[in-house]
Amino acid sequence: MAAGGRLRPVAQVGHIETMTADDEASLAPVGLGPFDEEVYRTLLTCVDATPAALAERLGQPERRVDAACGRLRALGLVIRMSGRRRRYTAVDPEAALEALVRERAGELDQVRGSALALSSIFHAARRQAGGGSTVELLNGPEEQGRWFVRLQHQVRSEMMVLDRPPYVLAAVNPVEPVRLDSGVHWRAIYAPEALEIPGAMDEIGDLTRRGEQGRVLPGLPLKLAIADRRIALLPLSMDVGHAQGLVVRESTLLDALVELFEVYWARATPLGAPPVAEEAAGTVPDDDRQLVQLLAAGLTDSAIARQLGLSTRTMRRRTRRLFDELEATNRFQAGLQAARRGWL
C-alpha cells in the first residue's frame, strides 16, 4: 500500500496519464459536472488515492477534491475504502456508468410521460383565454370521447352527426335523449355497419320517437359531429386505439364540413320514418315497410334477419315476395319503387 498522501498507480512502473474530457465523450449527460469528471478520470488512472493526493495531482484545494469524491460516491462511481483516512477507488466504469444511463433514461421517460399532461394544461389555458384556435389537434381516444360528450352538452339548437363504428365511447348514447327532450334538432346519418350492432335499431327507434331524424348511407367514409354549425369534431382515423382528431371552429373548413354533411344527407335513405297516409302508402304492412327500409339501408341479409327476429331463410323468402310486389329485381329498384309509393 502506498504511503498516506501518495497516489497508488495501476502499474508499479508509474501511473497512466490522466484522460481529459477532450479525449472522450463528456459524462455530463449522466449528471457529472466538469470538475467532478476531472477528478473521476484522474482516479481511474490509479488503484486508489486520498483526496490529498488527487488534489496535489490536479493542483486544486483538497477540500474541493474531497467534496467531488463525495458526489462521485453518491453516484456510485467510486467507493470509499476501509480505514480512518479517506481513500477512494473507482468502480468499473462499464457497470457504474451503465447504471447511471438506465437511471437517467427512466427519468427522461417520466418527463416524456408528463408532456401530454403539460400540453393539455397549456392548451386549456389558451382556450380559456382566447376561445381556442381555429383547428385544435386531439390525441388519443379519451380526448375525442370527452369532446363528443362536451359538444352534446353544449349544443343549443342543432346537432349533425355522421355515425359509424368503431366507437370511442359505448355504442349507447345516454346524452342524446336528454338533449332531444330539451328541443335540440338532431340529424344523424348512419353507416349500415352501425345498424348491425345488436340493439341498434331499437335504440334508433326510441331516438326517432323523441325527435331524431335518422338516415343511412352505405359507404359512409368518416365520422363527424357538428354542433350549432359553429364547432365540429372530426376524427382523423378509424383506428380507435391510436386515434387523432380535430376540433374545428368557425372557418371555411367548418363551412365545408357542414356542406359535406348536407350532401350526404341528400344521398342517404331515411330511417324510421313515421307512418305515411294510407292513401300514399297503400295497404303495406308495417313489417314490410321496415324490411324495405333495412334493404335500402344496405344491411346484410343476416343483419336484417337479426333486427327482425327472423331466420335468414325466412327473411330472404319475405324479400323475394316483397320484390315481386314492388316489381323489382334488386334492392336498388325495390328502394326506388318503395319511395315512389311513399313507403320510405
Side-chain angles (χ1 to χ4, degrees):
M1 181 77 65
R6 304 277 301 195
L7 293 168
R8 184 181 177 194
V10 173
Q12 296 298 326
V13 295
H15 63 265
I16 300 173
E17 290 299 323
T18 304
M19 293 184 295
T20 66
D22 293 334
D23 300 319
E24 298 290 341
S26 169
L27 301 180
V30 292
L32 267 71
F35 182 71
D36 290 0
E37 181 173 345
E38 187 178 5
V39 173
Y40 177 61
R41 288 178 180 273
T42 302
L43 189 55
L44 287 174
T45 65
C46 48
V47 175
D48 56 61
T50 63
L54 291 170
E56 181 181 355
R57 172 81 167 272
L58 295 170
Q60 296 287 337
E62 180 181 348
R63 179 178 298 179
R64 187 183 183 197
V65 173
D66 191 25
C69 288
R71 291 190 293 269
L72 292 170
R73 184 185 181 193
L75 290 172
L77 294 174
V78 305
I79 56 175
R80 180 178 173 180
M81 303 177 67
S82 61
R84 288 190 303 173
R85 302 195 65 178
R86 287 190 296 277
R87 182 176 294 276
Y88 297 93
T89 185
V91 178
D92 182 353
E94 184 175 4
L97 290 174
E98 177 62 27
L100 287 178
V101 169
R102 287 197 303 269
E103 180 180 348
R104 190 56 56 93
E107 293 172 355
L108 293 175
D109 284 339
Q110 291 179 357
V111 173
R112 185 180 296 113
S114 300
L116 282 178
L118 294 173
S119 179
S120 297
I121 296 172
F122 173 83
H123 289 293
R126 278 149 184 79
R127 286 195 299 270
Q128 186 174 5
S133 58
T134 299
V135 177
E136 178 183 343
L137 180 65
L138 305 179
N139 288 298
E142 293 82 7
E143 276 197 274
Q144 291 191 51
R146 285 194 293 269
W147 260 103
F148 183 56
V149 173
R150 178 177 174 178
L151 287 186
Q152 294 178 88
H153 281 301
Q154 291 182 345
V155 65
R156 296 181 179 180
S157 60
E158 181 185 27
M159 194 76 174
M160 307 154 78
V161 177
L162 301 181
D163 184 309
R164 57 158 294 174
Y167 297 109
V168 170
L169 303 174
V172 176
N173 182 357
V175 182
E176 182 180 350
V178 177
R179 304 305 288 135
L180 285 168
D181 291 345
S182 71
V184 172
H185 179 54
W186 202 292
R187 288 188 291 164
I189 304 175
Y190 296 93
E193 302 92 318
L195 307 183
E196 295 181 11
I197 297 174
M201 292 301 295
D202 291 337
E203 182 189 5
I204 292 173
D206 177 66
L207 295 174
T208 299
R209 287 187 290 273
R210 291 175 180 269
E212 178 188 274
Q213 291 180 279
R215 296 189 178 187
V216 63
L217 182 64
L220 189 66
L222 75 161
K223 296 193 282 190
L224 177 66
I226 306 174
D228 295 327
R229 299 177 181 247
R230 64 179 185 81
I231 187 169
L233 173 62
L234 174 65
L236 296 178
S237 169
M238 293 298 110
D239 182 359
V240 172
H242 303 87
Q244 288 186 316
L246 296 179
V247 173
V248 183
R249 296 177 175 84
E250 290 176 291
S251 60
T252 56
L253 176 57
L254 180 61
D255 294 341
L257 292 175
V258 171
E259 183 64 25
L260 178 65
F261 179 89
E262 297 293 357
V263 169
Y264 285 156
W265 182 259
R267 290 169 49 191
T269 302
L271 268 178
V276 295
E278 187 172 341
E279 59 269 23
T283 57
V284 57
D286 288 340
D287 288 346
D288 284 349
R289 181 182 295 111
Q290 186 178 13
L291 173 58
V292 77
Q293 287 175 343
L294 295 173
L295 289 168
L299 271 69
T300 62
D301 289 352
S302 58
I304 293 175
R306 284 198 304 272
Q307 294 293 343
L308 298 179
L310 304 172
S311 68
T312 303
R313 179 178 298 179
T314 301
M315 175 266 165
R316 288 173 177 166
R317 186 169 60 249
R318 282 185 52 185
T319 299
R320 287 194 296 269
R321 178 182 56 78
L322 188 61
F323 280 8
D324 291 341
E325 183 175 348
L326 293 171
E327 299 179 352
T329 59
N330 55 48
R331 291 186 177 203
F332 179 73
Q333 292 179 356
L336 286 178
Q337 292 295 339
R340 289 171 180 169
R341 299 185 187 195
W343 294 10
L344 297 177

